[in-house]
Amino acid sequence: MDTMETRRNSIVNFINEKGTITFAQLKEKFSDVSEMTLRTDLKYLDSEKRILRIHGGAKSVQTLIESDDFLGKRFVQNVEEKKIIAEKALTVLKDNKAVYLDSGSTTTTLAEIFPDGSRLIYTTGLTCATELSSLEKPTVMIPGGKLNRFSQSVYGYTAIKELERVNFDQAFLGVTGFHPSTGFACGMNDEAILKQTAIRQSEQVIILMDSSKIGKKCSYTFCDFSDIDIIISDGKLPADFLEKCDKAGVKVL
């Protein structure tokens, strides 16, 4: 990775950590970089939708997603696609098994139609848990940890350690974005580690993603094709992506 790309990744990580920064904070953090270069970097990162430039500074795209976007827009974006994905996911869901259900709007759509069967379900998504609460037969578990009040999910060290003690038959994971240079990724380091833990603990890994996620770069990679068994999408994935799935032996529904 060249110096420019490394610097720009560092800028994105810095903005994600802070949520919102001023240009003065950016200059202080990257004191060895010229002001003109930093402004060029922000312009480029904004055009790539990796950050949002605002007057006098920049804001994390992940902050936007997790705040006013997550609870509002994400649940009304690509609604039909999410329903298609959820219906397809039911066809691979196994009975009497231990299941990990990731947080997110697509997994919540799946939780809405989850069958009332005998299984163990762990979820870090409070919206998922709320939907699952109407079921009588499953045992639904929410790992301890920190509350992300924006995405309505649990994260952090405690949640990770609890998941490490569970052997899952299936894990249903959401994705913030996929790009050839970053793989399957999300915007928070803690979230990426949580997903990686679920992958390690699961016999079968199932990714739920609509085609709008293709081409989106995010800061934290959590897996590649070699970690995945099935990708469930809306039937609109591009040919080059499907070719990569085929080469990796990943089933696409």
Side-chain angles (χ1 to χ4, degrees), residues 8-9 132 141 169 184 208-209 226 228:
R8 286 175 173 174
N9 285 340
L132 296 170
M141 303 289 293
D169 295 284
F184 299 88
L208 309 180
M209 60 179 291
S226 60
I228 301 167

Side-chain angles (χ1 to χ4, degrees), residues 2-97:
D2 61 29
T3 303
M4 180 178 67
E5 185 67 17
T6 301
R7 183 184 67 251
R8 286 175 173 174
N9 285 340
S10 296
I11 290 172
V12 173
N13 290 339
F14 177 61
I15 295 171
N16 283 341
E17 288 172 5
K18 298 295 184 182
T20 302
I21 64 159
T22 64
F23 192 71
Q25 287 176 306
L26 190 66
K27 287 195 296 182
E28 182 180 355
K29 175 70 173 179
F30 298 90
S31 56
D32 58 336
V33 182
S34 71
E35 182 173 322
M36 181 178 294
T37 298
L38 288 175
R39 292 190 186 279
T40 300
D41 286 343
L42 289 184
K43 184 176 180 180
Y44 172 80
L45 292 170
D46 180 80
S47 70
E48 290 288 299
K49 296 181 172 57
R50 297 180 65 188
I51 58 103
L52 177 68
R53 283 199 301 167
I54 58 176
H55 180 69
K59 181 174 286 191
S60 166
V61 169
Q62 187 64 26
T63 298
L64 293 173
I65 289 173
E66 290 175 348
S67 54
D68 35 18
D69 186 68
F70 188 91
L71 291 180
K73 296 178 184 176
R74 274 177 82 177
F75 278 104
V76 297
Q77 287 178 336
N78 305 314
V79 173
E80 291 306 314
E81 286 81 358
K82 289 181 174 66
K83 289 180 179 178
I84 290 170
I85 292 168
E87 292 287 350
K88 288 182 179 180
L90 289 186
T91 66
V92 302
L93 180 65
K94 299 176 181 178
D95 294 328
N96 302 308
K97 299 295 183 180

Side-chain angles (χ1 to χ4, degrees), residues 43-252:
K43 184 176 180 180
Y44 172 80
L45 292 170
D46 180 80
S47 70
E48 290 288 299
K49 296 181 172 57
R50 297 180 65 188
I51 58 103
L52 177 68
R53 283 199 301 167
I54 58 176
H55 180 69
K59 181 174 286 191
S60 166
V61 169
Q62 187 64 26
T63 298
L64 293 173
I65 289 173
E66 290 175 348
S67 54
D68 35 18
D69 186 68
F70 188 91
L71 291 180
K73 296 178 184 176
R74 274 177 82 177
F75 278 104
V76 297
Q77 287 178 336
N78 305 314
V79 173
E80 291 306 314
E81 286 81 358
K82 289 181 174 66
K83 289 180 179 178
I84 290 170
I85 292 168
E87 292 287 350
K88 288 182 179 180
L90 289 186
T91 66
V92 302
L93 180 65
K94 299 176 181 178
D95 294 328
N96 302 308
K97 299 295 183 180
V99 176
Y100 174 75
L101 190 60
D102 200 7
S103 63
S105 55
T106 305
T107 49
T108 300
T109 303
L110 173 57
E112 290 175 1
I113 59 171
F114 231 75
D116 194 8
S118 177
R119 56 176 58 87
L120 172 66
I121 306 171
Y122 266 81
T123 183
T124 50
L126 301 188
T127 52
C128 292
T130 298
E131 296 298 336
L132 296 170
S133 65
S134 62
L135 305 180
E136 296 180 358
K137 295 179 181 179
T139 298
V140 180
M141 303 289 293
I142 305 173
K146 297 179 182 178
L147 171 66
N148 184 326
R149 68 183 187 280
F150 300 118
S151 63
Q152 292 292 291
S153 65
V154 175
Y155 72 101
Y157 177 81
T158 305
I160 290 166
K161 296 306 289 184
E162 186 167 344
L163 292 186
E164 286 178 341
R165 298 196 298 269
V166 187
N167 299 310
F168 296 107
D169 295 284
Q170 294 180 298
F172 293 85
L173 302 175
V175 174
T176 304
F178 172 86
H179 192 277
S181 65
T182 58
F184 299 88
C186 58
M188 288 183 65
N189 187 40
D190 283 326
E191 181 185 355
I193 296 172
L194 200 61
K195 291 177 187 289
Q196 288 173 335
T197 303
I199 288 170
R200 286 195 304 272
Q201 296 299 117
S202 299
E203 184 176 323
Q204 185 181 57
V205 177
I206 302 154
I207 295 290
L208 309 180
M209 60 179 291
D210 65 74
S211 53
S212 70
K213 304 297 176 65
I214 302 295
K216 288 186 177 180
K217 281 186 177 181
C218 299
S219 299
Y220 298 98
T221 299
F222 63 85
C223 76
D224 207 340
F225 290 98
S226 60
D227 302 302
I228 301 167
D229 297 294
I230 301 173
I231 293 176
I232 301 179
S233 191
D234 51 14
K236 303 175 185 177
L237 294 173
D240 58 340
F241 182 86
L242 292 173
E243 185 178 347
K244 290 178 181 178
C245 292
D246 185 57
K247 287 182 178 178
V250 176
K251 184 178 180 179
V252 178

